Amino acid sequence: MSTLSIENISMRFDLPNGTHVQALQDVSLELNTGELMSVLGPSGCGKTTLLNIVAGFLAPTEGRIILNGHDVKGPDAERGMVFQQGALFEWMNVRENVSFGPRMKGQRERQWGEHVDHLLDVTGLGDFTDKAIYELSGGMQQRVALARCLANDPDVILMDEPLGALDALTREKMQGLVLKLWKETGKTIILITHSVEEAILLGERLLVMAPRPGRIHKEYNLPFADMGVGADLREVKHADGYADTREEILEMIWDMEEEIMGRTEDTQ
Amino acid sequence: MIGLLILGVYVAVFVVSFLAVRFLVHRTVRDYTSLKTVTFGDESAVTSNRIASVVSVLTIFLIWGSFTGSAWVPGFLHAPAPFIGDTSFTYTLESEDGERDDATVHVRVFGFGETTQKFEVDPGDGIARNDAVAMSASRSTTILFDKNDETTRKKGARVVSIDGVAIGPDRAIRTPAGRFALTDKGAITFTPPSGLQMEPIWLPPPEAVVGRLFEIADEGYRDSTLWKHLGYSLFRVIAGFILGALLGIPLGYAMGLSNWFRGWFEPLVEFMRPVPPLALIPLVIIWFGIGETGKIILLFLASLWIMAIAARAGVSGVNITKVHAAYSLGASKFQIMRHVIMPNSLPEIFTGARVAMGVCWGTVVAAELVAASEGAGMMIMVASKFQLTDIVLMGIILIGVIGFAIDILMSKAENLLVPWKGRS
Ligand SMILES: Nc1ncnc2c1ncn2[C@@H]1O[C@H](COP(=O)(O)OP(=O)(O)OP(=O)(O)O)[C@@H](O)[C@H]1O
Ligand SMILES: [Mg+2]
């Protein structure tokens, strides 16, 4: 059963100086319930733009997004977002942040309390429920963002470089957490990342985008996300095919970056 | 002259206390900052030196006390006082036919604030007779020495020397008794040493100001006690500020959220922003008179634009990802306003409120200086008309202290209500 379909999306930004940027050109794809798709691509290839269109923050110049049989017209609680940083509410403590969605729906604490406390425990924030946001480390803040999104029980979770601002070690732990939550909740997830390893480890499906105009370059179906659930992600990296896939994708992105930079063979 | 001297003393104390603290006081606190090797140019490593602040305030009081001969400052620190007491000098008179005679002028100099009292001396004999003169300290006096002399200036007599020093119409002299000169008509102008201290009418000593404080706190001034004067000023500021905030904050939000509101009010706000509230005082007096209404409307106008601009800045300062996050968590426009935009704009609003309170406080004093029947500004204005400099000084100090206290209260409230400010 297909839940999210992105149909022939094009996005064109008209600039004040008369020129325009074709951020996306005829992008189409389908995502089934419970799939985790990671999106890779050189900077400026339209990943964020695509995600903003799916989230409903931007209307595409062409094409449409259909979720569960209806058109996406604007932002909605059925599509949750996890941003890279800066999206938490500093004037609320951890628990208030996480329960924001249910509270906005007018639910009482006895309706959401158990669910929220469970999510706080799962994300390892059980001891920090009353802390202010600015008292938390970057990794903890991202766990709050993740828990806040899940507490609202969306159908699709959209993540734009959610782990991009974290250090390598924290990042690795958070990758494990994302996999675990994905399997436990069965959510459909689109995850944008700059890290090829992260995209391979987490993405059941992996989409490589190309710039100018932004378009889908290649798609992979990968087994590593399933292996990684509940396992040590560092061991997954030794699994068959991991290294080859990594090299192939790195090469691909490297070539695209070189093209952007206008490099040629003879300047090396 | 005296100004330069005071500046010199001030700079000297600055340098000396800096060197003294530098070499005598060692930092015992070893915090993170003290381990920094690069401090010059690192603003965060610059903290206000407490010793310097204390010495700075003490120095001002010391200079004030010393140049006013305050009883609170030990005598050896006083600037030279003006001459007070009895002195005398001898003048030599030459009559038209060349005859000379000496006579003594007895001068009694009364201190500041004392009334001068005439006194008599034995006139003696000869063509010149002794005189008695009463005068106030730090003043000059013109002595009509020939009132009682045998021969007078009209008949051609003239003074040729004082205490044996020759004097003439264009030859002023200085003797241990003071300075002497002759007027156009030949009378003696005498100035005893005036010292370096200020007269109370220019600058009263600190104890006089404090004395006034107690007196006015007790008995009041111009039909109102001190507290009533200050209370009126404070009431006007708070009433005007609250009205300004009540209207200005929603206005700023509307300008930050709606094209139409922004377009409609932008010309108004941008026009009113550079108009200093003081410039509105005459208009407000014409329209509303000098009563409470006019004052409160003036302060309302002073705070309105500041609060509107602060609230607008608060809205535009919202990180768009917060708004996006709230929308995709299912919040309505109203909920976004209530739970995201309003709390997020609090730091800006507090900054604006601090500025507005400062401006209002300054404006209310100015408005009361122009016209009012109570208030801190009115008190010092009326006192200045009667040359009650101690009340004027007391008023200025109280105005400064209250303004400072308001700012401290506001920043305390800010820390309490907006603890996340500058930490995200
Ligand atoms: N609001 C906008 N106005 C004009 N051009 C825009 C706007 N937003 C994005 N673009 C352009 O669209 C293109 C795609 O931008 P986008 O932010 O989607 O890239 P990205 O793949 O997310 O890049 P990155 O990896 O650096 O985040 C870029 O060339 C960018 O300059
Ligand atoms: Mg991006």
Side-chain angles (χ1 to χ4, degrees):
Chain A
M1 182 192 67
S2 158
T3 59
L4 179 69
S5 53
I6 295 171
E7 296 180 359
N8 310 96
I9 292 289
S10 292
M11 187 74 203
R12 188 180 132 142
F13 290 106
D14 289 313
L15 302 179
N17 62 12
T19 61
H20 60 84
V21 178
Q22 192 72 39
L24 291 173
Q25 175 90 48
D26 200 23
V27 174
S28 296
L29 63 100
E30 302 235 323
L31 226 72
N32 294 316
T33 306
E35 279 186 324
L36 199 175
M37 184 170 80
S38 51
V39 181
L40 266 179
S43 189
C45 70
K47 305 182 293 290
T48 300
T49 307
L50 180 64
L51 207 70
N52 279 338
I53 291 173
V54 176
F57 302 138
L58 281 175
T61 38
E62 270 166 62
R64 58 184 192 155
I65 312 281
I66 295 171
L67 178 61
N68 296 330
H70 63 84
D71 266 7
V72 163
K73 289 274 186 276
D76 190 283
E78 68 191 4
R79 280 158 284 126
M81 283 286 271
V82 179
F83 296 90
Q84 184 171 0
Q85 59 185 167
L88 295 176
F89 307 130
E90 283 89 1
W91 43 94
M92 299 179 189
N93 66 25
V94 169
R95 196 158 187 267
E96 286 165 340
N97 262 284
V98 173
S99 60
F100 185 81
R103 286 193 291 122
M104 293 303 111
K105 285 187 197 130
Q107 292 181 3
R108 305 258 148 238
E109 174 154 5
R110 66 186 139 75
Q111 288 166 277
W112 53 256
E114 217 173 299
H115 186 208
V116 164
D117 288 336
H118 169 71
L119 284 170
L120 286 169
D121 282 339
V122 174
T123 48
L125 294 164
D127 295 335
F128 302 94
T129 53
D130 295 329
K131 281 265 186 297
I133 294 303
Y134 52 83
E135 292 172 303
L136 303 182
S137 70
M140 285 155 104
Q141 292 189 3
Q142 280 319 80
R143 280 184 267 161
V144 176
L146 215 58
R148 182 174 71 174
C149 184
L150 288 168
N152 209 30
D153 206 18
D155 296 335
V156 180
I157 299 179
L158 309 169
M159 305 188 184
D160 193 354
E161 295 176 41
L163 314 181
L166 305 180
D167 66 278
L169 216 65
T170 314
R171 191 166 183 159
E172 209 164 276
K173 283 187 196 151
M174 290 289 288
Q175 289 166 351
L177 180 64
V178 170
L179 277 182
K180 181 174 146 197
L181 290 173
W182 168 58
K183 265 296 158 210
E184 263 178 27
T185 58
K187 299 288 176 200
T188 314
I189 298 179
I190 299 180
L191 180 134
I192 291 178
T193 174
H194 268 135
S195 153
V196 175
E197 295 210 334
E198 186 169 287
I200 297 173
L201 283 175
L202 300 188
E204 234 184 340
R205 291 170 66 184
L206 194 163
L207 199 69
V208 181
M209 292 181 66
R212 300 184 179 190
R215 59 196 187 273
I216 295 174
H217 183 72
K218 191 157 182 186
E219 207 196 307
Y220 293 83
N221 284 304
L222 301 172
F224 307 107
D226 280 325
M227 292 182 201
V229 176
D232 189 343
L233 289 183
R234 264 171 281 187
E235 277 168 25
V236 177
K237 290 182 191 172
H238 298 296
D240 282 347
Y242 178 90
D244 294 340
T245 317
R246 193 173 140 248
E247 285 314 307
E248 186 183 331
I249 295 174
L250 271 176
E251 187 89 0
M252 194 183 295
I253 292 181
W254 184 242
D255 285 347
M256 283 189 242
E257 297 271 11
E258 261 189 352
E259 210 173 294
I260 296 172
M261 298 291 186
R263 287 248 196 107
T264 50
E265 298 279 291
D266 49 45
T267 57
Q268 281 177 358
Chain B
M1 232 314 275
I2 225 178
L4 277 182
L5 183 73
I6 291 176
L7 183 67
V9 172
Y10 190 72
V11 171
V13 175
F14 178 93
V15 172
V16 169
S17 56
F18 171 71
L19 294 176
V21 169
R22 179 99 201 243
F23 291 111
L24 299 179
V25 182
H26 293 283
R27 295 203 93 197
T28 45
V29 201
R30 291 233 145 239
D31 57 1
Y32 167 62
T33 303
S34 68
L35 296 176
K36 283 186 181 177
T37 52
V38 175
T39 52
F40 187 82
D42 177 1
E43 204 274 337
S44 68
V46 178
T47 52
S48 165
N49 187 321
R50 287 288 149 237
I51 300 180
S53 306
V54 171
V55 173
S56 161
V57 173
L58 281 182
T59 306
I60 287 177
F61 275 93
L62 191 78
I63 290 180
W64 180 11
S66 148
F67 281 85
T68 51
S70 165
W72 291 354
V73 172
F76 67 92
L77 285 176
H78 283 180
F83 178 82
I84 291 168
D86 289 344
T87 183
S88 63
F89 62 90
T90 306
Y91 67 92
T92 310
L93 190 73
E94 189 182 85
S95 70
E96 52 182 334
D97 28 283
E99 186 186 351
R100 288 196 178 193
D101 189 21
D102 287 353
T104 303
V105 179
H106 296 270
V107 183
R108 187 162 290 173
V109 184
F110 289 90
F112 300 129
E114 293 175 335
T115 39
T116 55
Q117 281 169 344
K118 290 219 162 63
F119 63 102
E120 300 291 327
V121 290
D122 172 25
D125 47 16
I127 58 166
R129 299 283 162 85
N130 301 338
D131 298 273
V133 173
M135 66 180 297
S136 299
S138 271
R139 294 272 190 282
S140 300
T141 183
T142 301
I143 300 167
L144 305 174
F145 56 88
D146 50 356
K147 279 195 308 264
N148 55 356
D149 294 352
E150 296 266 283
T151 178
T152 62
R153 286 173 288 151
K154 270 197 188 126
K155 291 182 189 156
R158 57 190 183 93
V159 174
V160 289
S161 68
I162 284 170
D163 284 342
V165 185
I167 191 169
D170 31 48
R171 203 176 119 80
I173 59 164
R174 189 183 282 277
T175 76
R179 273 190 309 118
F180 297 90
L182 294 184
T183 64
D184 291 345
K185 290 182 174 157
I188 301 170
T189 309
F190 170 53
T191 317
S194 58
L196 288 174
Q197 291 185 7
M198 302 278 200
E199 275 184 68
I201 198 156
W202 308 127
L203 181 68
E207 63 263 29
V209 174
V210 173
R212 276 292 186 187
L213 176 69
F214 286 115
E215 182 194 320
I216 292 183
D218 234 30
E219 296 160 21
Y221 185 67
R222 292 267 138 175
D223 307 329
S224 303
T225 63
L226 177 65
W227 312 123
K228 215 168 153 196
H229 281 299
L230 296 177
Y232 262 103
S233 302
L234 266 178
F235 163 73
R236 289 164 183 157
V237 166
I238 290 170
F241 169 76
I242 287 179
L243 288 178
L246 278 183
L247 205 75
I249 294 175
L251 180 64
Y253 282 150
M255 287 177 73
L257 295 168
S258 144
N259 294 339
W260 184 256
F261 271 91
R262 177 170 293 194
W264 187 275
F265 287 107
E266 191 143 60
L268 256 172
V269 169
E270 294 303 328
F271 171 74
M272 286 309 289
R273 174 158 60 173
V275 176
L278 300 187
L280 298 175
I281 294 178
L283 191 65
V284 166
I285 291 179
I286 293 174
W287 284 355
F288 302 101
I290 65 164
E292 291 314 299
T293 327
K295 302 240 159 27
I296 292 176
I297 285 178
L298 179 71
L299 298 177
F300 161 73
L301 289 175
S303 52
L304 176 66
W305 314 118
I306 299 177
M307 294 313 292
I309 288 165
R312 186 183 66 182
V315 178
S316 36
V318 177
N319 188 342
I320 185 64
T321 59
K322 289 196 194 348
V323 176
H324 279 173
Y327 269 119
S328 48
L329 287 167
S332 65
K333 279 185 183 167
F334 174 79
Q335 288 172 326
I336 286 184
M337 182 72 204
R338 164 74 189 76
H339 295 287
V340 181
I341 292 176
M342 277 168 59
N344 193 79
S345 61
L346 274 183
E348 290 282 356
I349 287 182
F350 261 100
T351 311
R354 271 174 85 173
V355 175
M357 279 302 261
V359 169
C360 279
W361 185 243
T363 308
V364 78
V365 172
E368 291 164 354
L369 286 177
V370 176
S373 44
E374 311 80 10
M378 168 269 177
M379 192 170 70
I380 61 179
M381 194 62 201
V382 172
S384 85
K385 290 199 175 121
F386 294 95
Q387 300 205 323
L388 295 167
T389 317
D390 40 8
I391 296 187
V392 174
L393 265 180
M394 179 202 77
I396 291 173
I397 293 174
L398 284 179
I399 288 168
V401 168
I402 292 175
F404 189 45
I406 290 177
D407 200 58
I408 287 181
L409 278 180
M410 299 286 285
S411 83
K412 285 261 186 296
E414 183 173 12
N415 290 342
L416 205 71
L417 292 171
V418 200
W420 66 89
K421 182 175 185 178
R423 292 212 246 173
S424 56

